[in-house]
Amino acid sequence: MKLVMLRPVYLPGDVASLRSGPVTDAVAELGPLVAARALSEAELLARLEQIPIRPAGVKIDRSAFSDGLPRKERLFAIHDGFFGVFRATDATTELLAHCVLVGYRTMLREAARCGTTLDDEQWGRLRHGIEATVAYLLGLPIGEPRPTPVPVGADALDPHRRWRSGHHVFFPLIQAIVLGLGCFQAAVNAGRTGEADEALAFATVVMTASSDAMCFASDFQPHHYGGAVRPAMAPPYLPVGLSGVMSEDHDLLIRRFRELREVFPTLEGRLGPRREAFIAAVEGTYDAHKRVCAKFDGEHVVSLRMSADSAAKAVGVLEQLERSRLNTLRSV
């Protein structure tokens, strides 16, 4: 299971740069159908099976495999390696679209095989977040989420596969939020209110969907996490305990949050309510993350990034991070 993603520092900085980039014929044909949800789930999956994992000619960035990387870059490489993520630096818009569609395919395959305990509202929001990302890349309306019947699969669920499948959807969504916030800030700085409103609305939709992606990734019994998934993310199987803060997409997202401290307090008119909706979506995503963590006994076990004798339990660490992030967005 592989996912080829753009290094987030190469994300377009504004809408004009994003939509001036080329897309492959496959994306140009399938993208509008995905954005409009014009296909049945079976038809969509059959069409997605034809999408290559990366556009023709895109080369993998091999720098992450080099010796002597700085500590932060080493942690990024460990995180990507565990989840089967490879990075590239070119074909920006093409690669963004392919990454989203490949993640969508992985999720639909997994759900068709094994089903999901997400309800129709959650499944509809999750699918909408992916479809909205494709729409935003192509300059199409992002529409509204709607409840969608969940797939019913009869195969036995593999917790390792579900964990990785869910993250292969979660990661492109996080990158899409970074993209939306970058386009929002560029539009605000240029005085383009309509473009800023579109970008922040998009980031809000995708932020909401990311919480459902976490629920999908953790859609298995708690004893499978403690007995199989969690040990695989810690020594001796990995050099260090794995954490979401080791993701370079998450790292850039937090930088975007800090940059918003200068912008959010100045928003007026329709952008004021749009800001509050985004902050509420961030809060909802942290709440979902805490629920997932609590499901896996996070109120009693320490984070993988902490020493085993730490008094800070995993849910408590998330609560501290949530307060910090929300205070940043609220400029408190």
Side-chain angles (χ1 to χ4, degrees), residues 70-305:
R71 182 177 183 276
K72 179 181 278 191
E73 282 68 26
R74 289 202 309 275
L75 296 179
F76 290 163
I78 292 168
H79 183 275
D80 282 355
F82 177 82
F83 286 106
V85 172
F86 296 83
R87 299 285 177 169
T89 61
D90 53 359
T92 302
T93 305
E94 288 183 322
L95 184 55
L96 281 169
H98 276 257
C99 175
V100 173
L101 293 175
V102 169
Y104 203 2
R105 176 174 69 203
T106 298
M107 182 189 82
L108 290 178
R109 278 178 182 168
E110 174 68 12
R113 287 177 61 255
C114 307
T116 175
T117 62
L118 269 64
D119 61 29
D120 292 357
E121 292 278 355
Q122 292 172 303
W123 186 244
R125 285 196 308 262
L126 176 51
R127 288 192 57 184
H128 178 63
I130 302 165
E131 293 153 358
T133 301
V134 175
Y136 190 74
L137 294 176
L138 299 178
L140 302 170
I142 66 174
E144 297 291 335
R146 59 182 184 272
T148 305
V150 298
V152 179
D155 290 358
L157 186 147
D158 178 343
H160 292 287
R161 184 181 182 91
R162 177 57 59 95
W163 188 243
R164 287 173 170 82
S165 296
H167 279 84
H168 277 212
V169 176
F170 181 70
F171 296 151
L173 291 177
I174 295 302
Q175 198 162 91
I177 298 165
V178 175
L179 171 70
L181 293 180
C183 291
F184 162 75
Q185 185 150 0
V188 168
N189 292 342
R192 297 191 291 269
T193 302
E195 189 178 300
D197 185 60
E198 178 193 24
L200 194 53
F202 163 65
T204 302
V205 164
V206 182
M207 178 63 77
T208 300
S210 73
S211 66
D212 297 304
M214 281 192 289
C215 293
F216 182 77
S218 61
D219 197 6
F220 49 85
Q221 294 299 314
H223 69 272
H224 287 310
Y225 181 80
V229 175
R230 180 182 166 96
M233 296 190 294
Y237 302 104
L238 293 179
V240 295
L242 206 65
S243 166
V245 300
M246 292 164 59
S247 159
E248 60 183 293
D249 303 299
H250 180 272
D251 185 71
L252 185 53
L253 175 64
I254 299 310
R255 276 190 272 162
R256 287 281 181 270
F257 279 13
R258 295 190 187 110
E259 292 163 2
L260 290 174
R261 284 185 297 194
E262 306 300 322
V263 177
F264 266 17
T266 69
L267 298 181
E268 298 176 343
R270 56 178 163 164
L271 292 181
R274 189 71 76 190
R275 171 194 60 213
E276 296 308 309
F278 177 75
I279 292 174
V282 173
E283 190 168 16
T285 298
Y286 271 105
D287 287 344
H289 198 166
K290 287 186 292 185
R291 287 194 297 273
V292 168
C293 191
K295 171 184 174 181
F296 294 143
D297 203 30
E299 293 176 332
H300 303 101
V301 300
V302 300
S303 166
L304 284 170
R305 294 294 291 135

